[in-house]
Amino acid sequence: MTKCKKIFCALLSVCLITVAPIGTVFSVSAEEEETDTHSLAERISNLGQKKEEYEKILQKNAKEISDKEEYNRALTEKIKVLSEKVTLTRESISDLTDSISTSQKEIDQANEDIEGQLDALCGRLRAIYMAGSASELEIILGAKDFSDMIDKVNLVKTLTKYDDELIENISDKLDEIENKQTQMQEDKEQLLTDETTLDADLKDFNKTLEENEETLKKLRDSSAEAQDFLADADNEQTLMESQIRKYFEKKAQTADIVTDGKYVWPCPGYYTLSSLFRENRTSYFHGGIDIAGGGIMGSPVLAAEAGTVVGVFTGCPHNWGKEKCCACGSYGNYVWLDHGNGKETIYGHLTSAGVQPGDTVKKGQVIGLVGSTGNSTGPHLHFECRMNGDKYDPMTEF
């Protein structure tokens, strides 16, 4: 008997020595798997946040690019108009310069004409003076006969009228030419001022156009970088989601089977309740319990009881804490199970779901990963129980 006991103890020792390392290896492997899901969930969350930031950059850039392009078109049109004005102004200056030159020639010619007429007038006055400085009456009374007198009277009248008209015409012509030249000179000076102003405006508009083009280039470069990042992020997220699906598939094959009639705790290792059932939320009462804890992001979510998947939503990419709902629904990504006999459970704010509507799940099967999608201020699992559609305290099931 003693010998048998010794042999039994020896065999038991061998078994214990053999089993212990296997248990340790399995434990480490499970921890690594869970750590991987945490890491993947965190990375998906970070990617999602960055994707949203870059999408906002793209939206903002698209608006700014549109505005800048419109501004560019307006600047280009303005520069075109200003360039035409500068061209017309320079043509007008050239025309006025020619007109002033022509006017100067007319003045020079008029001065020559006036000098000739003045010489003639002076000759007549000299002749009268040489005649003895006679007055008009003496000239008339000095007539030899009546016919001569008539001739002398007409001569005196003609000379007087001619000289008066000559002086008046000369004076008017000089005034007209000088006024015309003065006006043209003023017009030319105004056009030169306008040309200076237009050139300055044109320079400013061209500078603004260059600056706007530079801003447009930066915006387009920024948009291109954002698009490259989003494309890379999509590829990386697809890869991580593929890894998560493999994790779900593996866990589905090794789901725990519990037959004690109570629900399995849906988030093993995390037992802090950040919100209780019927907690007053001012505008409503909380319909379930919130399970939280440090490092919960990406933790496995288990089916509390065997059942059928009746609802799944995975369309919320906003997997991070937020001040208000992201318009993807208050539950965010969720799984809804029907356990029969009117009982249902809902698992909300998931990073991702590993089941599809119509799937049959085992008790304790991994159905998703904890996240912070939907109306969530931070990573946690919203666990909700219903009986015939009415919500009740989940804590009565454990």
Side-chain angles (χ1 to χ4, degrees):
M1 188 69 175
T2 305
K3 186 177 180 182
C4 287
K5 281 185 179 180
K6 287 181 179 179
I7 293 170
F8 178 78
C9 288
L11 287 171
L12 183 59
S13 298
V14 170
C15 289
L16 287 173
I17 292 170
T18 306
V19 169
I22 294 173
T24 303
V25 171
F26 178 79
S27 176
V28 170
S29 177
E31 287 176 4
E32 284 178 352
E33 265 189 345
E34 189 170 327
T35 302
D36 284 345
T37 61
H38 287 202
S39 174
L40 289 172
E42 287 286 356
R43 285 166 66 190
I44 288 174
S45 176
N46 292 336
L47 269 182
Q49 281 181 287
K50 286 188 176 295
K51 280 173 70 176
E52 186 167 87
E53 289 170 10
Y54 277 97
E55 281 165 358
K56 286 179 180 177
I57 288 172
L58 275 177
Q59 291 173 1
K60 183 184 176 186
N61 282 2
K63 176 69 169 62
E64 289 189 16
I65 286 171
S66 176
D67 291 344
K68 293 293 182 185
E69 285 176 341
E70 184 63 32
Y71 188 37
N72 252 18
R73 286 191 287 272
L75 285 172
T76 302
E77 282 300 314
K78 188 67 177 177
I79 289 170
K80 182 180 177 182
V81 170
L82 283 175
S83 297
E84 290 175 355
K85 282 186 176 181
V86 169
T87 300
L88 290 173
T89 301
R90 287 172 179 164
E91 288 176 358
S92 297
I93 291 171
S94 177
D95 291 343
L96 277 176
T97 301
D98 292 342
S99 296
I100 290 170
S101 177
T102 301
S103 177
Q104 187 60 50
K105 290 178 181 177
E106 290 177 358
I107 290 173
D108 293 341
Q109 183 61 48
N111 282 330
E112 289 179 8
D113 293 344
I114 289 169
E115 286 178 4
Q117 290 167 340
L118 285 175
D119 288 343
L121 177 60
C122 289
R124 287 194 298 275
L125 292 175
R126 190 181 298 110
I128 292 171
Y129 175 76
M130 294 299 293
S133 300
S135 67
E136 293 176 1
L137 181 59
E138 288 175 337
I139 292 170
I140 294 168
L141 292 175
K144 296 177 182 179
D145 52 34
F146 182 76
S147 178
D148 186 31
M149 182 186 72
I150 295 299
D151 291 338
K152 290 185 182 297
V153 168
N154 289 332
L155 175 61
V156 169
K157 286 181 178 180
T158 300
L159 284 172
T160 303
K161 182 180 178 182
Y162 177 78
D163 291 339
D164 287 343
E165 288 178 353
L166 179 63
I167 293 169
E168 185 178 351
N169 287 339
I170 290 170
S171 178
D172 289 346
K173 189 171 183 181
L174 279 175
D175 288 343
E176 181 184 350
I177 293 173
E178 286 175 356
N179 289 337
K180 182 178 178 182
Q181 190 175 43
T182 299
Q183 184 60 52
M184 285 190 294
Q185 191 63 43
E186 289 175 357
D187 291 345
K188 181 180 177 180
E189 288 172 1
Q190 181 60 52
L191 285 172
L192 287 169
T193 301
D194 292 346
E195 182 187 25
T196 301
T197 303
L198 286 170
D199 281 335
D201 289 344
L202 196 58
K203 184 178 179 181
D204 288 342
F205 275 107
N206 276 312
K207 182 181 178 182
T208 305
L209 184 61
E210 288 175 7
E211 291 171 351
N212 199 58
E213 287 284 2
E214 183 62 28
T215 303
L216 259 176
K217 183 180 181 301
K218 289 179 181 177
L219 286 169
R220 286 171 179 146
D221 289 346
S222 173
S223 294
E225 288 174 7
Q227 287 170 339
D228 288 343
F229 172 84
L230 288 172
D232 291 341
D234 284 340
N235 291 335
E236 187 175 353
Q237 189 167 335
T238 299
L239 180 61
M240 289 189 290
E241 287 171 352
S242 174
Q243 291 176 298
I244 288 174
R245 279 196 299 274
K246 289 177 182 178
Y247 168 81
F248 285 136
E249 289 168 3
K250 182 176 180 181
K251 284 295 182 182
Q253 295 170 2
T254 59
D256 297 330
I257 303 296
V258 183
T259 57
D260 59 5
K262 291 183 177 295
Y263 278 3
V264 170
W265 187 252
C267 195
Y270 298 93
Y271 304 99
T272 300
L273 300 183
S274 58
S275 291
L276 301 176
F277 178 68
R278 287 195 63 76
E279 179 181 84
N280 189 345
R281 297 285 181 86
T282 307
S283 59
Y284 68 96
F285 291 99
H286 192 222
I289 59 173
D290 286 347
I291 302 169
I296 196 172
M297 173 69 85
S299 294
V301 176
L302 310 184
E305 181 59 271
T308 303
V309 181
V310 293
V312 175
F313 178 75
T314 56
C316 181
H318 312 106
N319 189 35
W320 55 85
K322 54 197 80 69
E323 294 180 0
K324 58 183 180 180
C325 188
C326 57
C328 293
S330 59
Y331 288 102
N333 297 330
Y334 65 84
V335 171
W336 193 325
L337 301 181
D338 181 357
H339 306 292
N341 300 319
K343 281 191 169 185
E344 297 171 324
T345 53
I346 301 173
Y347 311 77
H349 309 307
L350 305 179
T351 291
S352 57
V355 291
Q356 298 293 328
D359 288 353
T360 299
V361 297
K362 300 174 185 179
K363 189 173 188 174
Q365 178 178 330
V366 177
I367 58 173
L369 300 179
V370 174
S372 188
T373 54
N375 189 9
S376 171
T377 57
H380 70 280
L381 172 66
H382 173 84
F383 179 62
E384 188 173 302
C385 293
R386 297 187 182 191
M387 171 61 79
N388 296 322
D390 296 327
K391 300 173 184 178
Y392 65 93
D393 189 356
M395 295 305 293
T396 61
E397 293 286 357
F398 302 107

